[in-house]
Amino acid sequence: MVSSVLCRCVASPPPDAAAAASSSASSPASVDPCGGAVCGGPDHRLRLWSLFQTLDVNRDGGLCVNDLAVGLRRLGLHRTEGELRKIVQAGDKDLDGQLDFEEFVHYLQDHEKKLRLVFKSLDKKNDGRIDAQEIMQSLRDLGVKISEQQAEKILKSMDKNGTMTIDWNEWRDYHLLHPVENIPEIILYWKHSTIFDVGENLTVPDEFTVEERQTGMWWRHLVAGGGAGAVSRTCTAPLDRLKVLMQVHASRSNNMCIVGGFTQMIREGGAKSLWRGNGINVLKIAPESAIKFMAYEQIKRLMGSDQETLRIHERLVAGSLAGAIAQSSIYPMEVLKTRMALRKTGQYSGMLDCARKILAREGVAAFYKGYVPNMLGIIPYAGIDLAVYETLKNAWLQRYAVNSADPGVFVLLACGTMSSTCGQLASYPLALVRTRMQAQGNAGSGPVPTGSSPRAGRGLGRSWQTLMGASLTTASIEGAPEVTMSSLFRQILRTEGAFGLYRGLAPNFMKVIPAVSISYVVYENLKITLGVQSR
């Protein structure tokens, strides 16, 4: 019945006007089988009314979720409650929770337009049919690799005449009362840069579906992601500060352990000192995320892509450029974050005082110390994170995705954790050099206890003040010559070996799993608060 009420016209016109005229003269029905009823003629409307009555099981003149579930089941179409609710929400203009006949007709017409756009994007050969190779190519462009057998399985679910190709009518009949298409569904379920925050905002931005853009859901996702990042960073701030201290002050002769580091921080400034630098780290989330998202969208337009989503290599280029623009815009906040994390008690009264003193003593250029290694670190971080995440995503989709692209919480958490960890590992030497360059000129930074006991400072080897004196070659005091990125790399390799480029890696990795878990939980709860539709 669903097929009988729909237009059976061919999806594309004859190749030239002569052919069209000849075809029209000899057999009008071959071009317009429904005799004009297709585009809103009376016969077509009567057929839609017949379908509406069939679906309206309780005969109240409106289609609710229950009506659609029962009615479509009678017609041999099985849809989940979430899918049916989505149909009602999309067509319910008067917000009464059901579709009257006019709303039903408008929904079918609007949805058919969207389906035609998707069909054309999949029809690479522009012959009015989709075959297995075209499905594989379209998904490959989005970074989703499937086998030919999987593509044929997709075809068979829609192919009515056994040709192993799908024409427009078969595509439309299958999807018209099925609101979720495969490609947007994958985009929807597999977001990760918006959801997960591990303290570094260098990942390639997530894609948003056309529906999310049109309904304004995209900004709610960004707000939820920002809130989740703020909570996650605050919860893991002690580990982040310890990482910064170890990056700047630890060396082969001044070994630092995790327990000793925490002990010295608490002894020097109390428990509250564990969160030094966290305020500016949270404040920079909003401008960085907003600038990166806007830059990403503009770069996509400049690249001339008319697709809903970019190919993997295009995403990497656009995401890296957007990350560079965002980092350049907020980089002074990165320097402030490092200086605030390294400060000793009483050195600065707050963020503004820190900024004023840096400007007065070191000039504007001080706010861009370490800028070059920071920019260079974007590419390996974003590239490795994206490659690992897409590889894990494809592996899961090929093996376990049967009826849905929804990976579930634990798969998503595992993939996000592994990709972020690999991205950080690849770019960590550049991050360490950046932090040491940012610390240059920060006189007397770090906790300076009055003494050191073997138990409290076990693993430190000496008091923090002595450690600071031995570390002035990398964190120079005012007036000392500043080192460049290349000379700092050479110095670390000469004095500490390759291991010296990974100081502070342990606390950095320790915070990944709790950071990912906390940001995901907060993100999901904020989505509900902001009215974002459940996945």
Side-chain angles (χ1 to χ4, degrees):
M1 173 171 283
V2 175
S3 300
S4 67
V5 303
L6 302 173
C7 162
R8 312 312 302 169
C9 292
V10 293
S12 55
D16 53 55
S22 173
S23 177
S24 177
S26 61
S27 178
S30 64
V31 178
D32 191 2
C34 51
V38 179
C39 303
D43 290 344
H44 184 55
R45 193 172 179 83
L46 284 174
R47 290 172 180 172
L48 288 176
W49 174 246
S50 176
L51 176 61
F52 181 84
Q53 288 184 311
T54 301
L55 296 176
D56 184 15
V57 294
N58 59 7
R59 297 292 186 268
D60 63 351
L63 300 180
C64 62
V65 173
N66 184 64
D67 287 335
L68 289 173
V70 176
L72 289 174
R73 196 178 301 118
R74 290 175 180 175
L75 297 175
L77 300 174
H78 298 276
R79 303 288 183 257
T80 66
E81 183 179 347
E83 292 168 346
L84 297 176
R85 187 179 297 110
K86 193 172 182 180
I87 290 175
V88 173
Q89 290 174 344
D92 185 16
K93 303 301 181 184
D94 57 9
L95 302 179
D96 62 351
Q98 60 181 5
L99 304 179
D100 58 30
F101 179 62
E102 292 301 326
E103 290 173 333
F104 180 66
V105 172
H106 288 156
Y107 167 78
L108 292 180
Q109 292 173 341
D110 291 342
H111 195 52
E112 184 171 342
K113 291 177 184 177
K114 296 176 184 177
L115 289 174
R116 188 176 289 275
L117 291 175
V118 177
F119 181 85
K120 288 182 177 179
S121 71
L122 293 174
D123 184 15
K124 304 293 185 182
K125 300 174 184 175
N126 201 29
D127 60 357
R129 292 183 176 276
I130 301 172
D131 57 28
Q133 293 299 321
E134 288 172 317
I135 290 178
M136 292 171 64
Q137 180 61 46
S138 296
L139 292 176
R140 191 181 302 116
D141 290 343
L142 295 172
V144 180
K145 297 178 182 179
I146 63 172
S147 65
E148 187 171 357
Q149 290 77 13
Q150 290 172 311
E152 290 175 351
K153 184 178 180 180
I154 295 173
L155 279 176
K156 288 178 181 178
S157 65
M158 293 178 264
D159 182 24
K160 296 180 179 179
N161 54 18
T163 60
M164 288 307 292
T165 60
I166 308 167
D167 61 22
W168 160 243
N169 291 322
E170 290 172 322
W171 171 265
R172 189 263 325 281
D173 292 356
Y174 181 84
H175 285 292
L176 196 59
L177 289 171
H178 193 302
V180 180
E181 294 80 37
N182 287 332
I183 294 173
E185 185 182 33
I186 292 170
I187 297 170
L188 183 68
Y189 285 128
W190 287 87
K191 287 183 176 65
H192 86 295
S193 72
T194 305
I195 298 175
F196 300 138
D197 189 299
V198 293
E200 298 283 353
N201 197 2
L202 302 180
T203 54
V204 175
D206 283 319
E207 295 287 327
F208 290 98
T209 64
V210 171
E211 180 188 4
E212 287 174 319
R213 297 174 190 275
Q214 291 175 343
T215 59
M217 287 295 167
W218 63 270
W219 69 262
R220 291 184 173 88
H221 279 285
L222 292 180
V223 171
V231 176
S232 172
R233 293 185 187 192
T234 300
C235 292
T236 58
L239 284 167
D240 189 67
R241 187 183 180 220
L242 179 61
K243 176 198 74 174
V244 173
L245 289 168
M246 293 177 74
Q247 284 179 329
V248 175
H249 299 317
S251 66
R252 180 176 290 174
S253 59
N254 298 293
N255 192 31
M256 295 173 63
C257 74
I258 292 172
V259 176
F262 279 129
T263 302
Q264 291 290 351
M265 283 191 287
I266 294 172
R267 171 175 291 184
E268 190 274 334
K272 187 178 179 180
S273 68
L274 297 176
W275 277 266
R276 284 179 184 170
N278 181 61
I280 191 73
N281 196 32
V282 169
L283 283 178
K284 68 186 179 72
I285 292 176
E288 185 175 11
S289 298
I291 293 170
K292 185 162 74 168
F293 177 75
M294 290 187 290
Y296 185 67
E297 293 301 310
Q298 291 301 319
I299 293 169
K300 282 174 62 175
R301 293 189 181 95
L302 291 175
M303 292 175 69
S305 176
D306 57 355
Q307 299 181 3
E308 179 176 331
T309 56
L310 299 180
R311 297 177 177 89
I312 293 300
H313 68 278
E314 292 174 333
R315 283 192 65 198
L316 177 58
V317 171
S320 298
L321 289 174
I325 292 171
Q327 284 283 302
S328 299
S329 303
I330 59 95
Y331 193 75
M333 299 177 77
E334 292 278 0
V335 176
L336 282 175
K337 179 240 178 183
T338 299
R339 294 293 182 90
M340 293 292 287
L342 292 170
R343 80 185 191 275
K344 64 181 180 181
T345 301
Q347 186 175 359
Y348 305 120
S349 60
M351 288 180 283
L352 292 179
D353 181 55
C354 178
R356 281 195 298 266
K357 288 182 177 178
I358 292 174
L359 184 62
R361 296 171 181 171
E362 305 171 54
V364 176
F367 290 104
Y368 284 89
K369 288 180 177 179
Y371 177 78
V372 173
N374 186 71
M375 292 298 106
L376 293 176
I378 291 175
I379 296 176
Y381 188 106
I384 298 296
D385 175 76
L386 183 63
V388 172
Y389 193 77
E390 292 297 322
T391 299
L392 294 173
K393 179 182 77 174
N394 288 325
W396 188 90
L397 287 170
Q398 288 188 29
R399 293 190 179 186
Y400 304 108
V402 180
N403 299 317
S404 172
D406 185 0
V409 175
F410 293 109
V411 173
L412 200 62
L413 288 175
C415 293
T417 300
M418 292 180 67
S419 65
S420 297
T421 300
C422 292
Q424 288 186 335
L425 187 63
S427 63
Y428 195 83
L430 287 163
L432 181 138
V433 170
R434 174 202 66 192
T435 303
R436 290 198 179 185
M437 293 179 71
Q438 289 172 341
Q440 292 179 43
N442 194 48
S445 62
V448 185
T450 56
S452 176
S453 67
R455 177 172 297 184
R458 187 175 57 187
L460 285 169
R462 64 188 69 185
S463 74
W464 206 291
Q465 192 166 15
T466 305
L467 181 152
M468 280 298 303
S471 300
L472 292 180
T473 53
T474 55
S476 62
I477 62 173
E478 298 172 46
E482 295 181 1
V483 295
T484 63
M485 180 184 72
S486 57
S487 63
L488 191 52
F489 263 117
R490 288 194 297 269
Q491 177 186 325
I492 294 172
L493 289 173
R494 184 178 64 255
T495 59
E496 303 179 51
F499 182 76
L501 296 172
Y502 291 90
R503 299 285 181 187
L505 189 64
N508 185 69
F509 279 176
M510 285 175 64
K511 73 174 185 173
V512 171
I513 293 179
V516 167
S517 304
I518 292 168
S519 61
Y520 179 83
V521 172
V522 176
Y523 175 81
E524 288 297 316
N525 282 277
L526 284 177
K527 278 205 315 177
I528 296 172
T529 303
L530 294 170
V532 178
Q533 295 177 359
S534 180
R535 289 185 298 120

